Amino acid sequence: QFRDNTLIVVFGASGDLAKKKTYPALFGLYSNGYLPKDVHIVGYARTKMDEEEYHKRTTGYIKNPNNDPEVAAKIEEFKKLSSYVSGNYDDTPSFQNLARHIEAIEKSYQGRGVNRLFYLALPPSVFVPVAKHVKECCYATNGTNRIIVEKPFGKDLDSCRELLSSLKQSWKEDETYRIDHYLGKEMVKNLLVLRFANVAMGAAWDKNSISNVQISFKEPFGTEGRGGYFDEFGIIRDILQNHLLQVLSILTMERPVSFASEDIRDEKVKVLRAIPPIKREEVLLGQYVGANGKPGYLDDDTVPKDSVCPTFAATTLWINNERWEGVPFILKAGKALNEAKVEIRMQFKDVTQGIFKDISRNELVIRIQPSEAVYLKLNAKTPGYAFRAIPTEMDLTYKRRFTDTKIPEAYEALILDAIKGDHSNFVRDDELDVAWKIFTPILHWIDGKEGPRPKPSPYPYGSRGPKELDGFIGKLGYKRAATE
Ligand code: BG6
């Protein structure tokens, strides 16, 4: 059920996030018929430009590789839904000007209620002034108001609390939509169904069956020009503390009472609260160095030459509750690795020894990207005369099984949820608080707040990561399957 009369303001319209994610997602929703009737998009940024230039920039990232005339026509229609206002992020007259622009557009709604969605695709330094000015100047009194914000939500527990409390002075929790775009990914959403709609899965989902779990993020490119931002944050704040921890919480939470957003988020918070802060001894840090003609992290001009910022991290988390006690959850992420892959690997325990010796363990793999898939490694009798077990797979690869279905981009799914007012796939304030509690002690150690900064292990660009990685995972009980 769409909300008609929706007006979306994209702050930071000329920035990277807006161009790469927000506008392509809005276009994706529009071209598939998922934007509400009478929608209008207002771009807002400091850059002074005319509408032609604005449209050129915002549609520049929309893909139409084969120059499909239908897509080209849709892009033209999409442009008509959108206009631009330039202004500052910290002065009242700019926002009053924006308010006048919005009101002029909403005149066509002829007094019917309006729904305003303010999307802050902005650097964190301006979150608070923009949120405050929007509330003061652009808040609709005859309809709904929603604000979307993106990470980084602070750099540790204290700074996150400070940011949240400043934002809360103008926006209520139920008006706030904090994006973690991993929650919009198809396979992350699928976890709820896989777990709770299948007795076979649910029965094996605990310490009695599972030996260890890995949640891994691998990217085949380095910071490439984003070094300035990255060096301040590092891989743990960029990926582990948010994206991978969100996946972990949905993977391990108890069954919610219903699929209502607060029921789901209550369960996520509960399981996160059972995770103690990560210990230094359970962290492996790495930084990529130049190899095979590719530059190292320190070769990036935007990175200080003596930086010890980790571009790879593996950490072990433990969940102290009835279901998961004693099962290590290994979260690992790295830039400039050998492939692009994000996946969950749940490795089962060994079968009781006796009739079978040296057979591979079962493993359930949920591949989040690329090529969404769920597959279960299991042993079967080798076909033919011999009576022997061989490792094989039950494979649900989406593009083979669901040939006609378009899988939405994460940002499309999330913007649609925000338009509908569904909070399930957004991060609640208390989730953030508990997520920072888990990571803040090791982040302070890495930042050098408690003595010398730890030195990350070097790994070559394009490799699997630091050489210590296999030992790190092996110690936690992971056994490589014969087929790998
Ligand atoms: C972002 C990080 O949140 O996620 C980036 O800041 C990273 O460093 C990106 O590249 C990965 O997103 P995706 O959807 O491509 O896996």
Side-chain angles (χ1 to χ4, degrees), residues 216-221 332 334-343 345 367 369-370 461-465 484:
S216 331
F217 168 99
K218 295 170 96 181
E219 246 176 14
F221 46 84
K332 57 190 210 304
K335 298 257 169 198
L337 295 178
N338 57 334
E339 59 183 342
K341 195 183 274 181
V342 181
E343 65 179 14
R345 264 170 198 267
R367 192 162 63 224
Q369 64 191 40
Y461 195 120
S463 66
R464 287 181 54 238
E484 274 179 66

Coordinates of all heavy atoms in Angstrom, one line a residue, residues 216-221 332 334-343 345 367 369-370 461-465 484:
S216 N 31.7 -13.7 6.1 CA 32.8 -13.1 5.4 C 32.4 -12.1 4.3 O 31.5 -12.3 3.6 CB 33.7 -14.1 4.7 OG 33.7 -15.3 5.3
F217 N 33.2 -11.1 4.3 CA 33.0 -10.0 3.2 C 34.3 -9.9 2.5 O 35.4 -9.6 3.1 CB 32.6 -8.7 3.9 CG 32.7 -7.5 3.0 CD1 31.5 -7.0 2.5 CD2 33.9 -6.9 2.8 CE1 31.6 -5.8 1.6 CE2 34.0 -5.7 1.9 CZ 32.8 -5.2 1.4
K218 N 34.3 -10.1 1.2 CA 35.6 -10.0 0.4 C 35.3 -9.0 -0.7 O 34.4 -9.2 -1.5 CB 36.0 -11.3 -0.1 CG 36.4 -12.3 1.0 CD 36.6 -13.7 0.4 CE 38.0 -14.0 0.1 NZ 38.2 -15.3 -0.5
E219 N 36.2 -8.1 -0.9 CA 36.1 -7.1 -2.0 C 37.4 -7.2 -2.8 O 38.5 -7.2 -2.2 CB 35.9 -5.7 -1.5 CG 34.6 -5.1 -1.9 CD 34.3 -3.7 -1.3 OE1 35.3 -3.1 -0.8 OE2 33.2 -3.3 -1.4
P220 N 37.4 -7.2 -4.1 CA 38.6 -7.4 -4.9 C 39.3 -6.1 -5.2 O 40.3 -6.1 -6.0 CB 38.1 -8.1 -6.2 CG 36.8 -7.6 -6.3 CD 36.2 -7.3 -5.0
F221 N 38.8 -5.0 -4.6 CA 39.5 -3.7 -4.9 C 39.9 -3.0 -3.6 O 39.2 -3.3 -2.6 CB 38.7 -2.8 -5.8 CG 37.2 -2.7 -5.4 CD1 36.8 -1.8 -4.4 CD2 36.3 -3.6 -6.0 CE1 35.5 -1.8 -4.1 CE2 34.9 -3.5 -5.6 CZ 34.6 -2.6 -4.6
K332 N 34.7 -11.8 9.3 CA 36.0 -11.3 8.7 C 35.6 -10.5 7.4 O 34.7 -10.8 6.7 CB 36.9 -12.4 8.4 CG 36.4 -13.6 7.5 CD 37.4 -14.7 7.6 CE 37.5 -15.6 6.4 NZ 36.4 -16.3 5.9
G334 N 37.6 -7.9 4.2 CA 38.9 -7.3 3.7 C 38.7 -6.6 2.4 O 37.8 -7.0 1.6
K335 N 39.5 -5.6 2.2 CA 39.6 -4.9 0.9 C 40.7 -5.5 0.1 O 41.7 -6.1 0.7 CB 39.9 -3.5 1.1 CG 38.8 -2.7 1.9 CD 37.9 -1.9 1.0 CE 36.7 -1.4 1.7 NZ 35.7 -0.9 0.8
A336 N 40.7 -5.4 -1.2 CA 41.8 -5.8 -2.1 C 42.2 -7.3 -1.9 O 43.3 -7.7 -1.8 CB 43.1 -5.0 -1.8
L337 N 41.1 -8.1 -1.9 CA 41.3 -9.6 -1.7 C 41.2 -10.2 -3.1 O 41.2 -9.6 -4.1 CB 40.3 -10.2 -0.7 CG 40.5 -9.7 0.7 CD1 39.4 -10.3 1.6 CD2 41.9 -10.0 1.3
N338 N 41.2 -11.6 -3.1 CA 41.2 -12.3 -4.4 C 39.9 -12.4 -5.1 O 39.8 -12.8 -6.2 CB 41.8 -13.7 -4.1 CG 40.9 -14.5 -3.1 OD1 40.3 -13.9 -2.3 ND2 40.9 -15.8 -3.2
E339 N 38.8 -12.0 -4.5 CA 37.5 -12.1 -5.1 C 36.4 -11.2 -4.5 O 36.7 -10.7 -3.4 CB 37.0 -13.6 -5.1 CG 36.8 -14.1 -3.7 CD 36.4 -15.6 -3.6 OE1 35.9 -16.1 -4.6 OE2 36.6 -16.2 -2.6
A340 N 35.3 -11.1 -5.1 CA 34.2 -10.4 -4.6 C 33.2 -11.4 -4.0 O 32.6 -12.2 -4.8 CB 33.5 -9.5 -5.6
K341 N 33.0 -11.5 -2.7 CA 32.1 -12.5 -2.2 C 31.7 -12.1 -0.8 O 32.5 -11.7 0.0 CB 32.8 -13.9 -2.2 CG 31.8 -15.0 -2.0 CD 32.4 -16.3 -1.9 CE 32.7 -16.9 -3.3 NZ 33.3 -18.3 -3.2
V342 N 30.4 -12.3 -0.5 CA 29.9 -12.1 0.9 C 29.1 -13.4 1.1 O 28.2 -13.7 0.4 CB 29.0 -10.8 1.0 CG1 28.6 -10.7 2.5 CG2 29.8 -9.6 0.6
E343 N 29.5 -14.1 2.2 CA 28.7 -15.3 2.5 C 28.8 -15.7 3.9 O 29.6 -15.2 4.7 CB 29.3 -16.5 1.6 CG 30.7 -16.8 2.0 CD 31.3 -18.0 1.2 OE1 30.7 -18.4 0.2 OE2 32.4 -18.5 1.6
R345 N 28.9 -19.1 6.3 CA 29.2 -20.5 6.3 C 29.0 -21.1 7.7 O 29.6 -20.7 8.7 CB 30.7 -20.7 6.0 CG 31.0 -21.0 4.6 CD 32.5 -21.0 4.3 NE 32.5 -20.9 2.9 CZ 32.6 -21.9 2.0 NH1 32.7 -23.1 2.5 NH2 32.5 -21.7 0.7
R367 N 25.1 -17.7 0.3 CA 25.9 -16.7 -0.4 C 25.0 -15.4 -0.7 O 24.0 -15.5 -1.4 CB 26.4 -17.2 -1.8 CG 27.4 -16.3 -2.4 CD 28.3 -17.0 -3.4 NE 27.4 -17.4 -4.5 CZ 27.4 -18.6 -5.1 NH1 28.3 -19.5 -4.7 NH2 26.6 -18.9 -6.1
Q369 N 26.2 -12.4 -1.9 CA 26.6 -11.9 -3.2 C 27.9 -12.4 -3.6 O 28.7 -12.7 -2.8 CB 26.5 -10.4 -3.2 CG 27.5 -9.7 -2.3 CD 27.3 -8.3 -2.1 OE1 26.2 -7.8 -1.9 NE2 28.4 -7.5 -2.0
P370 N 28.3 -12.4 -4.9 CA 27.4 -12.3 -6.0 C 26.6 -13.6 -6.2 O 27.0 -14.6 -5.6 CB 28.3 -12.0 -7.2 CG 29.6 -12.8 -6.8 CD 29.6 -12.8 -5.3
Y461 N 47.9 -7.4 -2.4 CA 46.7 -7.1 -3.1 C 46.3 -8.3 -3.9 O 47.1 -8.9 -4.6 CB 47.0 -5.9 -4.0 CG 45.8 -5.2 -4.6 CD1 45.6 -3.8 -4.3 CD2 44.9 -5.8 -5.4 CE1 44.5 -3.1 -4.9 CE2 43.8 -5.1 -6.0 CZ 43.7 -3.8 -5.7 OH 42.6 -3.1 -6.2
G462 N 45.1 -8.7 -3.8 CA 44.6 -9.8 -4.7 C 44.8 -11.2 -4.0 O 44.5 -12.2 -4.6
S463 N 45.2 -11.2 -2.7 CA 45.4 -12.5 -2.1 C 44.2 -12.9 -1.2 O 43.2 -12.1 -1.2 CB 46.7 -12.5 -1.2 OG 46.5 -11.6 -0.2
R464 N 44.3 -14.0 -0.4 CA 43.2 -14.4 0.4 C 43.2 -13.6 1.8 O 42.3 -13.7 2.6 CB 43.2 -15.9 0.7 CG 42.8 -16.7 -0.5 CD 42.9 -18.2 -0.1 NE 42.1 -18.5 1.0 CZ 42.6 -19.1 2.1 NH1 43.9 -19.4 2.2 NH2 41.8 -19.4 3.2
G465 N 44.3 -12.8 2.0 CA 44.4 -12.1 3.3 C 45.7 -12.4 3.9 O 46.5 -13.1 3.3
E484 N 37.0 -28.3 -1.3 CA 37.4 -26.9 -1.5 C 38.7 -26.8 -2.2 O 39.6 -27.6 -2.0 CB 37.4 -26.2 -0.1 CG 36.1 -25.7 0.2 CD 36.1 -25.0 1.6 OE1 36.8 -24.0 1.7 OE2 35.6 -25.6 2.5

